[in-house]
Amino acid sequence: MESLCYAYDFAVIGGDMRQVYLAGELARDGRKVCHYALCQETACGYQADLLSQACDLAPSIICPIPMSKNGNICQSALSQALPIEQLLAHLRPSQTFFAGCVPDGFKEEAIVRGVRVVDLMEDTGLALFNTLATAEGALCEAIKRSPINLHKSRCAVLGYGKCGCTLVSYLKGMFCQVQVFSEQDAERARAALVADGAGDLSTLEKSAGDYDFIFNTIPARVVDAGILGKMKPSVTIIDIASAPGGVDLAAAEEAGRDAVLCPGLPGKYAPSSSAGAIKEVIEKVLDRRSEE
């Protein structure tokens, strides 16, 4: 088998602290690991000097969640960017490529090259687990930035998808009064079972001044200058949606409202737990492949 010629089992490339912990978890399991462009030095495994070397050393390549931003691999270790096209050029037939939110074009071209592509965020279990770390991180950011307790505060959660659902559950567990806003009838119906109320996004502006905390999960501009102007001066706005987020941050600053976009919360607040969940998915995929 071609895999016998590889010196390592896994190559971990780029990312945040999740990838650092993941490299350590794999190494502790007796797997041979090489890595490149990790955000922090680690004694686990071999540090490759070049991206091409890392890709040549292992049959399984693991990249970040999300995999890329602006066409480059997400990483903070190197001053120069790592274009995803450069990574694609170094992948070899029969390799298995793991990452989250893999761009369609990259995936299609990799498959043409004979590479098996696994989008980690298409695993339902991992996607749901990711919402736990995201919600906890959002609460941490809110607590750090606000002079008031979350306990019994008035909160608005915009959107009730996977992250919104988990976030509302956490807030209710802290005895917050929670109102959900969504454009989707099905989301409002589900939210009404758990939250204190659920309304259409078009009604947010009318009650915007009622809330101590606003949590946005919708990856589209939903909080503009008009809505920001109706909010309390003391409001804390936490945007956990995918970039560029749903809050007009420039308008928030001009209006004197405390608003922040918080990407990568699982990597910041729960990297070890998140790495363990990622590892489970990777092992599940490889175990299934070995049985084929």
Side-chain angles (χ1 to χ4, degrees):
M1 295 176 61
E2 184 176 350
S3 61
L4 295 177
C5 69
Y6 289 108
Y8 295 87
D9 299 310
F10 295 95
V12 183
I13 298 171
D16 51 35
M17 286 301 297
R18 285 173 286 185
Q19 281 63 50
V20 175
Y21 278 99
L22 178 59
E25 291 273 351
L26 292 169
R28 279 189 288 276
D29 270 2
R31 306 296 186 96
K32 295 181 179 178
V33 180
C34 67
H35 51 82
Y36 179 73
L38 294 187
C39 67
Q40 179 175 297
E41 291 187 6
T42 175
C44 299
Y46 169 71
Q47 180 173 318
D49 295 323
L50 300 169
L51 177 62
S52 58
Q53 183 187 31
C55 292
D56 285 343
L57 287 173
S60 294
I61 311 297
I62 306 173
C63 278
I65 302 175
M67 170 188 164
S68 63
K69 181 180 180 181
N70 299 325
N72 298 308
I73 299 171
C74 290
Q75 57 87 26
S76 59
L78 307 177
S79 57
Q80 72 271 24
L82 290 178
I84 59 174
E85 291 82 3
Q86 183 179 339
L87 170 64
L88 183 61
H90 295 306
L91 296 180
R92 299 166 59 179
S94 82
Q95 285 182 317
T96 302
F97 179 81
F98 297 92
C101 308
V102 180
D104 290 339
F106 180 97
K107 182 175 182 178
E108 292 166 3
E109 182 59 30
I111 291 173
V112 169
R113 292 169 179 257
V115 178
R116 185 185 187 191
V117 179
V118 179
D119 192 324
L120 294 166
M121 292 309 291
E122 291 180 359
D123 183 272
T124 302
L126 181 59
L128 290 173
F129 183 89
N130 197 60
T131 69
L132 298 177
T134 300
E136 290 182 12
L139 297 182
C140 287
E141 290 288 339
I143 290 168
K144 284 197 308 182
R145 301 181 72 89
S146 177
I148 70 171
N149 289 331
L150 267 170
H151 178 75
K152 292 191 176 181
S153 65
R154 294 179 61 86
C155 302
V157 175
L158 314 186
Y160 198 71
K162 293 185 181 72
C163 283
C165 178
T166 302
L167 182 56
V168 168
S169 295
Y170 268 98
L171 291 170
K172 289 305 300 176
M174 299 179 74
F175 304 99
C176 301
Q177 290 184 285
V178 184
Q179 178 80 13
V180 173
F181 292 89
S182 172
E183 292 180 340
Q184 299 184 28
D185 292 341
E187 287 192 357
R188 291 197 300 274
R190 291 195 301 271
L193 299 175
V194 181
D196 296 288
D200 191 272
L201 268 172
S202 62
T203 67
L204 172 61
E205 187 169 354
K206 294 179 182 178
S207 62
D210 295 342
Y211 305 108
D212 304 302
F213 297 90
I214 307 285
F215 297 90
N216 177 61
T217 71
I218 301 172
R221 181 59 54 83
V222 292
V223 179
D224 58 18
I227 295 175
L228 287 160
K230 300 290 180 62
M231 293 181 183
K232 294 179 179 180
S234 60
V235 70
T236 298
I237 307 167
I238 306 297
D239 193 345
I240 61 174
S242 302
V247 179
D248 188 334
L249 297 179
E253 183 176 4
E254 185 174 345
R257 304 298 186 262
D258 184 5
V260 61
L261 180 63
C262 301
L265 290 174
K268 181 177 181 181
Y269 285 100
S272 178
S273 296
S274 296
I278 293 169
K279 177 173 170 286
E280 286 184 12
V281 176
I282 291 172
E283 290 177 338
K284 177 175 65 177
V285 170
L286 294 179
D287 286 346
R288 287 176 180 170
R289 187 173 190 186
S290 66
E291 295 171 358
E292 294 176 354

